[in-house]
Structures are given as C-alpha cells and as structure tokens.
Amino acid sequence: MSKKVPLKIAIAEHPHTSAIRNGSIPIEGVEPEFVTVKPQIGAFRRMVRDVEFDVCELAPTTYIIARAYGAPFVALPVFVVRRFHHGGLLVRPD
C-alpha cells in the first residue's frame, strides 16, 4: 500500500462540504488536514500572501490578482459555492 500524501486544506464549513471535511467522503491517496479560518476570506489572504495551504478555496478575483503579482499556484475550476453572494443587494429605482 502506498503512503498517503499529506495536504493542508482550507475550505469553508458548509453543509455541502461537511462530508469531505468529516471523512465520510474520503480523498483517495490523501491524508487531509482541514484548517478552519473564519471568515473564509482570511484563508484567501493567508494563501496569497504566504502560500500557507496546499489546497485553498479562493474567490476568482483574489486568484486573478494574486497570479498577476506572481503567486506560485494554479487554480482548478471547482466551485465550492456557485451563487451570487450579494443576493440581498437592493438598488433604488431613481
């Protein structure tokens, strides 16, 4: 049996991420260490400034700007949450 690769992972705690975080859905070949950062934007900052995690949920804009400044990582098109986060935004008609 081959040794599992240890990965430090920073993804937010949501109902749709709980099964992977609690191990009900294992990541084949990986020994995950889940890091909880609240709010998640704090993990974004730690990732782009210090490349602190092996895997980190990032906002697309954060990733694009980090890459423009030479950040040494690559994005995967995996969407943890795929919805407009300002759903309660109101606009005056005038």
Side-chain angles (χ1 to χ4, degrees):
M1 180 180 272
S2 62
K3 186 176 177 183
K4 291 187 175 187
V5 176
L7 291 179
K8 192 172 184 181
I9 302 171
I11 57 173
E13 292 178 325
H14 294 290
H16 56 276
T17 61
S18 64
I20 199 161
R21 290 180 60 93
N22 69 23
S24 323
I25 298 175
I27 306 170
E28 188 177 329
V30 171
E31 183 64 44
E33 174 192 345
F34 290 100
V35 179
T36 301
V37 180
K38 291 186 181 180
Q40 184 65 20
I41 193 169
F44 298 0
R45 292 181 184 127
R46 289 164 57 179
M47 184 63 179
V48 299
R49 292 177 183 165
D50 302 318
V51 191
E52 186 175 333
F53 312 107
D54 299 303
V55 177
C56 185
E57 172 185 353
L58 284 178
T61 306
T62 303
Y63 171 74
I64 291 167
I65 293 169
R67 288 292 297 151
Y69 282 90
F73 44 81
V74 176
L76 299 175
V78 176
F79 297 90
V80 179
V81 176
R82 196 169 191 175
R83 63 179 166 79
F84 186 58
H85 64 281
H86 293 300
L89 186 66
L90 301 175
V91 179
R92 291 177 32 174
D94 61 341

